[in-house]
């Protein structure tokens, strides 16, 4: 039974832990799928590579009112798809080749198969030639998550797609039904509708992106409904195949109805892969949400076993996984006597973005959160149309919204919906992270005029602070 100093399960952010400081350690890397993890292969990178051409394809729809007449001559789906995965697949293959063949990894053994814990610090990997069991002093659990589907009668038989598969289809469908209303649903609704697909989105709730601030969620839903068929407050009672594709039978405010499409995308969420690893067999605890339980140092309840990324973090964001990988790397080196003291992860202000149409970015408390937690706050909103650049764009739909502590002026939350939202929010994340109050941030620096960041400047100045 091979024994290792360190076993890393997963080659997403976990794969970044190893460097030359581990060269004198016997290490194993276990990967059940494609090297690179969710973000590289089926997540943030390929989706944004689809979003960019979708943004280009959508420009004719809004250009005419500004005096520019444009037409969309066509979308070469296979060219778009093949450009994207021609680049991504080679990176994934290169990462695998590096770990297996490069001299830098002479101390690393790669196991390609599903691993499951079968005892205390004992992992059995299902390899092509049969199972092999390995043990280690230390484990890093970084096996990510996976898309899940709701329990809808007939759904399993429909041949539906998830975000893992829909980006590799051969042809654009004429009609697409999306089941779900979160960020995955919003981004793919934008991509496919911009490419000329007739999109119907089915939401169980009364709004899209309902975890966003209520004002943002409400506005996004309104704007999405101008471009696609949005069905809110619907319960899916059955999914079935038809002669031309799929159908979902729904119950809604108006009674029973049916939506049809050539293709069905299920975008109802993701879950941790902790269950696939059978982590309980090695004594690792799992939270009610199914994530591996960790402390502030990314340590599980078992000495020497760490976890990071989507496996343990409900945020399920690549930038969180990368941060946690750096924490785990440092703390492993501390255990090995290379670093002086352990470090804790900083999850105080975790931002996220939705690259739909419009874009959204958020950090900190929503107004709903503040009310529920009994946090004192003041709020302010700044419309894009109220700044020079937004006025030039004739933007009448988008805004930034801030929440702040009325006594200190410290920001509690920030939410932007509109063009460049993920970029515009960054100085607000910085202010929150380094404890800069709203007045000092607004008045303590120049803001380029007439540039888009004036949206943030004016939102800060609008806060009713003493």
């Amino acid at each position: 039974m091979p024994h290792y100093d360190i076993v890393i399960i997963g080659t997403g952010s976990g794969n970044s832990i190893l460097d030359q400081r581990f060269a004198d350690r016997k290490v194993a890397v276990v990967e059940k799928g494609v090297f690179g993890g969710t973000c590289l292969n089926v997540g943030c990178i390929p989706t944004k590579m689809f979003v960019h051409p979708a943004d280009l394809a959508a420009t004719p729809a809004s250009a005419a009112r500004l005096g520019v007449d444009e037409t969309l001559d066509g979308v070469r789906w296979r060219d778009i798809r093949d450009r994207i995965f021609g680049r991504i697949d080679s990176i994934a293959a290169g990462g695998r080749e590096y770990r297996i063949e490069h001299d830098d990894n002479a101390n690393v053994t790669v196991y390609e198969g599903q691993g499951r814990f079968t005892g205390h610090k004992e992992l059995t990997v299902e390899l092509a030639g049969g199972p092999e069991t390995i043990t280690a002093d230390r484990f890093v659990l970084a096996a990510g998550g996976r898309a899940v589907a709701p329990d809808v009668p007939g759904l399993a038989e429909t041949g539906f797609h998830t975000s893992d598969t829909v980006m590799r289809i051969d042809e654009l469908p004429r009609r697409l039904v999306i089941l779900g209303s979160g960020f995955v649903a919003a981004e793919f609704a934008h991509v496919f509708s911009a490419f000329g697909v007739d999109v119907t989105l089915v939401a169980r709730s009364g709004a899209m992106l309902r975890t966003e601030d209520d004002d943002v969620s409400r506005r996004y839903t309104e704007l999405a409904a101008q471009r696609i068929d949005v069905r809110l407050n619907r319960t899916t009672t059955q999914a079935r195949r038809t002669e031309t594709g799929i159908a979902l039978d729904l119950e809604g405010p108006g009674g029973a109805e049916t939506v049809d499409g050539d293709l069905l995308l299920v975008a109802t969420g993701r879950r941790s892969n902790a269950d696939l690893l059978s982590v309980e067999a090695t004594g690792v605890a799992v939270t009610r949400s199914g994530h591996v339980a960790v402390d502030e140092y990314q340590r599980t309840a078992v000495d020497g076993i760490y976890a990071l990324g989507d496996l343990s973090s409900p945020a399920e964001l690549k930038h969180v996984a990368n941060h946690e990988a750096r924490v785990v790397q440092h703390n492993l080196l501390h255990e090995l006597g290379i670093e002086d003291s352990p470090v804790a992860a900083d999850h105080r202000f975790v931002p996220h973005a939705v690259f739909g149409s419009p874009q959204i970015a958020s950090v900190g408390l929503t107004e709903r959160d503040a009310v529920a937690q009994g946090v004192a706050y003041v709020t302010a909103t700044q419309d894009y149309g109220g700044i020079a650049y937004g006025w030039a764009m004739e933007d009448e739909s988008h805004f930034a919204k801030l929440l702040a502590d009325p006594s200190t002026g410290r920001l509690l939350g920030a939410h932007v919906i509109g063009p460049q939202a993920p970029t515009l929010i960054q100085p607000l994340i910085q202010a929150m992270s380094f404890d800069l109050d709203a007045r000092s941030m607004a008045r303590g620096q120049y803001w380029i005029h007439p540039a888009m960041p004036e949206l943030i400047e004016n939102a800060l100045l609008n806060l009713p602070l003493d």
Side-chain angles (χ1 to χ4, degrees):
M1 188 181 297
H3 182 80
Y4 293 90
D5 296 314
I6 303 170
V7 171
I8 298 174
I9 307 174
T11 59
S13 294
N15 197 37
S16 66
I17 290 174
L18 297 180
D19 60 21
Q20 287 305 304
R21 290 173 292 180
F22 295 92
D24 62 344
R25 303 290 170 166
K26 186 179 180 182
V27 179
V29 172
V30 179
E31 174 56 66
K32 69 177 178 63
V34 181
F35 265 65
T38 297
C39 176
L40 174 65
N41 294 292
V42 295
C44 32
I45 293 178
T47 54
K48 302 317 161 288
M49 293 176 76
F50 278 101
V51 163
H52 181 60
D55 290 343
L56 298 177
T59 57
S62 57
R65 66 188 181 89
L66 300 179
V68 178
D69 295 324
E70 298 179 345
T71 59
L72 178 61
D73 295 332
V75 171
R76 302 191 307 276
W77 168 262
R78 292 194 184 192
D79 288 353
I80 294 171
R81 180 200 64 182
D82 294 347
R83 179 189 74 87
I84 291 169
F85 289 110
R87 300 174 72 186
I88 285 173
D89 291 349
S90 64
I91 294 173
R96 176 183 180 275
E97 181 182 2
Y98 173 73
R99 278 287 176 239
I100 293 175
E101 300 181 10
H102 198 279
D103 291 343
D104 287 351
N105 296 285
N107 64 317
V108 178
T109 301
V110 175
Y111 291 85
E112 296 184 275
Q114 174 65 58
R116 291 182 182 275
F117 284 99
T118 49
H120 180 66
K121 292 188 176 179
E122 177 184 283
L123 187 78
T124 299
V125 186
E126 296 296 332
L127 303 172
E132 183 169 349
T133 300
I134 60 177
T135 60
D137 298 325
R138 299 171 182 86
F139 282 85
V140 177
L141 312 183
R146 63 190 187 277
V148 294
D151 186 15
V152 173
L155 184 60
E157 292 75 41
T158 62
F160 65 86
H161 285 272
T162 69
S163 55
D164 290 355
T165 61
V166 75
M167 291 181 283
R168 293 185 183 258
I169 59 176
D170 289 330
E171 303 290 345
L172 281 175
R174 185 173 60 86
R175 301 170 303 155
L176 172 67
V177 176
I178 300 178
L179 183 59
S181 57
F183 72 93
V184 175
E187 291 185 359
F188 280 114
H190 166 48
V191 167
F192 284 104
S193 63
F195 289 164
V197 176
D198 183 5
V199 175
T200 300
L201 185 143
V202 178
R204 183 176 58 183
S205 64
M208 294 180 65
L209 300 170
R210 63 187 182 278
T211 60
E212 301 292 339
D213 186 88
D214 288 343
D215 290 335
V216 172
S217 173
R218 189 179 306 111
R219 180 61 54 84
Y220 192 95
T221 305
E222 293 169 355
L223 296 173
Q226 296 173 13
R227 299 185 303 276
I228 64 174
D229 182 2
V230 178
R231 308 286 182 101
L232 303 175
N233 297 305
R234 270 28 177 221
T235 299
T236 304
T237 58
Q238 184 179 2
R240 49 192 171 84
R241 298 294 304 177
T242 67
E243 291 184 0
T244 57
I246 58 92
L248 295 183
D249 296 326
L250 312 174
E251 285 288 342
E257 61 191 48
T258 298
V259 294
D260 299 278
D262 305 310
L263 184 149
L264 172 63
L265 170 61
V266 175
T268 53
R270 298 180 65 84
R271 66 171 297 177
S272 164
N273 281 332
D275 59 323
L276 299 183
L277 297 183
S278 301
V279 296
E280 295 89 347
T282 193
V284 169
V286 176
T287 67
R288 292 180 61 184
S289 65
H291 294 88
V292 169
V294 295
D295 65 10
E296 66 269 31
Y297 300 101
Q298 300 301 131
R299 300 177 303 197
T300 71
V302 179
D303 184 49
I305 299 184
Y306 295 82
L308 64 90
D310 294 359
L311 191 82
S312 58
S313 172
E316 298 182 347
L317 296 165
K318 178 62 172 175
H319 44 278
V320 172
N322 285 345
H323 170 74
E324 292 173 351
R326 291 189 290 270
V327 169
V328 170
Q329 180 191 56
H330 179 98
N331 292 339
L332 282 171
L333 292 169
H334 164 68
E335 286 192 19
L336 298 174
I338 299 173
E339 294 289 351
D340 290 338
S341 57
V343 297
D346 183 357
H347 293 132
R348 293 173 302 153
F349 308 112
V350 176
H352 67 267
V354 182
F355 292 83
S357 180
Q359 294 181 351
I360 289 174
S362 176
V363 63
L365 298 180
T366 66
E367 191 165 1
R368 181 176 62 253
D369 294 333
V371 171
Q373 296 175 24
V375 175
Y377 71 94
V378 293
T379 185
T381 300
Q382 174 62 51
D383 291 336
Y384 274 64
I387 64 167
Y389 202 97
W391 182 79
M393 296 167 62
E394 295 193 14
D395 191 310
E396 300 175 352
S397 302
H398 307 127
F399 59 87
K401 177 179 179 179
L402 306 182
L403 285 78
D405 184 318
S407 61
T408 66
R410 266 47 176 193
L411 291 168
L412 300 171
H415 313 278
V416 184
I417 177 171
Q420 303 178 33
T423 302
L424 289 171
I425 204 170
Q426 190 62 46
L428 296 169
I429 301 167
Q430 183 173 348
M432 295 169 73
S433 299
F434 293 99
D435 201 29
L436 183 65
D437 69 274
R439 287 289 184 230
S440 298
M441 182 183 181
R443 290 306 193 201
Q445 61 183 313
Y446 280 104
W447 298 82
I448 295 174
H449 176 82
M452 197 74 85
E454 286 186 313
L455 179 80
I456 303 305
E457 177 194 19
N458 287 4
L460 291 165
L461 294 173
N462 291 343
L463 284 164
L465 299 169
D466 295 334

